[in-house]
Amino acid sequence: MTRQDTSANETTWQLMSWERLERLVPLLILVAVVAGIMLLASQFGIVQQRRVTLGFISLISVVGLYVFMGNSGVLNFSSVGFMAIGAYVSALLTMRPQVKATFLRDLPDWLAAAQFDPITGALAGGAAAALVALVVGLPIMRLSGIGAGIATLSILIIFYIVLGNWTGVTGGQRSLMGLPTYVTIWNAGLAAIGAIVLAFVYQESRSCLALRASREDEVAARSAGVRVVRERLTAFVLGAFICGIAGVFYGHFLGTLRVENFYLDPTFLYITMLVVGGMRSLTGAVVGVIVISTLAELLRLLEIGGRLPALDVTLKAPAGLGDVVLAALMLGIILFRPQGITGGREITLRGMRG
Amino acid sequence: MVNSAHSEHMHRKPCIWTEADLKGCSDMELEASGVTVRFGGIRAVENVSLRFGIHEIVGLIGPNGAGKTTLVNALSGFQKPRSGRICLAGKDVTGWRSDALARHGVARTFQAVRLFRGLTVAENIETALLSTGLARSAARARARDILGYLHLSNRADTLASGLNYGDERRVGIARALAMEPKFLLLDEPAAGLNIGEAEELGQTIASIRDDFGCGILVIEHNMALVMKLCERLHVLATGMTLATGTPTEVMADPAFKDAYLGAET
């Protein structure tokens, strides 16, 4: 090999590694943003920290929703149901046996006596959600459009009814209390970063490119050899795993589980977050959670009311203003910026990338 | 990347199949035998038999609504025939899913092109390459080769939604070529192109056959292009086979003159 060849090869190698590095830029920026929020919030009081922690939990769930809905373009109302599965499975595995004896008298003996550590509980919660997604996903992954919307909404309803009536295992309509509350801003923030990394790695995979192709044109994707049902199922299961983890954190954040917490309100909140941010990109999922969480928090404070000392006026918004504003924002985005704030692009150093 | 060795085996000699020939297809053929497709009460395709081999360019012509696209849909697995068989390289593939047929060497384009508009041109091609089992880096390199072959190199990083009409059609062909097809089904590739562009496309199609060694079935209304390009024609009218043969034979066929040219002019 001549000297010229060697230098040419080196240049190619450098170009390739730079290209590879450049692909990671969106991930690095998103992780830095979440880490920044985590560090900043840790300087504030416990009340603010808890609001941000709740935001991180929303972030995990919305990232889980994005993995399937954003990449497949198929409507999904069931993600909160998978949160519920994660939350209840982890609760049952990590609660103290004495507490279980109080609230859940009909558990099988081995489960009643067992107590696992939080990490085992969390992974089992995520895995259970993924497993259920695999089973229910098989028949419904061939649907798209309004059919998929109705099918996934039906799944959410079924989960809700089953969990709400399986009194022996979930406590049914009563609240399930006494979950170990180990969630802090640190572990929730790290889990959010983990979810982002997982979603990004998936997004760069060949499976996800095939899924995105099917989102653009399902018929053409089949003509390009894409196994549409299989690729959708992969994303559905991965998304359910991430949502399951979000549910685990939610349960151990509140310490109490109620089935109502896993029904329509959070479903629409998370979908709003994803759509407002831009459902075709991971950046969109993250931006949506940040924007909506911040806005919801401001509106909540406004509804509580408060005095602005500087202007000497008392602000008090009518109850329900928050929900109305969020709904109006969703409407505005769908009408005027259907690809969301990010336009469905990922963030880069130069701005937004297609 | 171009397999020019195949061009030596190129058969320009026209071959016309009789009913007796249509009993089974050889390793090198894609065949529809006795295919019928109905939509409700409407017979879209009625008892049509057609087969073509690799290195062959066959024109599928007929007036609008004759069932040409339906037949291509049946051949590529997008439409399950009510009766009849589809046979690929000696294997009965009736009822196979379209994506499986695509991975086994039957690639197609669409009249409406149907690119993945939100993806880049390179990603459009890579999607097809990856489903044939290539690794990511190999797919990236091969995509550049295929785009270069179709003079689309400078479009690689453009979003497919931003292409002009002619480029869009070429990317559609590039995506089908990325499947490494043994049989390529082109649904009106020259629609909307001007005379010069259509002529250029004709040359591209001929060279694809030579360089990739695949058989090509082309639905086309542009008769000048069809006459020049195809060794054999299959004429459909109201879902049924009206005539088959070399372009000259078909043009001389009175049934063809009545049904096709009569209807068109």
Side-chain angles (χ1 to χ4, degrees), chain B residues 31 33 35 74 79-88 91-97 101:
Chain B
E31 178 194 9
S33 61
V35 164
Q79 176 67 54
K80 206 180 165 192
R82 168 180 282 236
S83 60
R85 291 187 312 119
I86 307 295
C87 186
L88 167 65
K91 204 189 298 178
D92 188 342
V93 295
T94 319
W96 277 34
R97 289 204 324 263
L101 271 176

Side-chain angles (χ1 to χ4, degrees), chain B residues 14 19 52 66 73 92 96 99 103 109 124 144 158 168 244 259:
Chain B
E19 282 302 314
F52 66 108
N73 285 346
D92 188 342
W96 277 34
D99 55 301
R103 289 191 302 274
T109 65
N124 266 268
R144 309 250 161 221
T158 319
E168 197 180 78
T244 57

Side-chain angles (χ1 to χ4, degrees), chain A residues 201-243:
Chain A
V201 169
Y202 169 70
Q203 175 173 307
E204 294 290 307
S205 74
R206 52 197 295 154
S207 174
C208 187
L209 179 59
L211 185 64
R212 282 172 171 249
S214 80
R215 174 189 74 193
E216 298 300 318
D217 191 319
E218 192 179 331
V219 169
R222 288 180 198 280
S223 83
V226 172
R227 299 167 170 97
V228 176
V229 172
R230 194 171 90 171
E231 306 303 359
R232 278 188 188 157
L233 193 59
T234 307
F236 193 64
V237 169
L238 179 63
F241 175 81
I242 296 173
C243 287

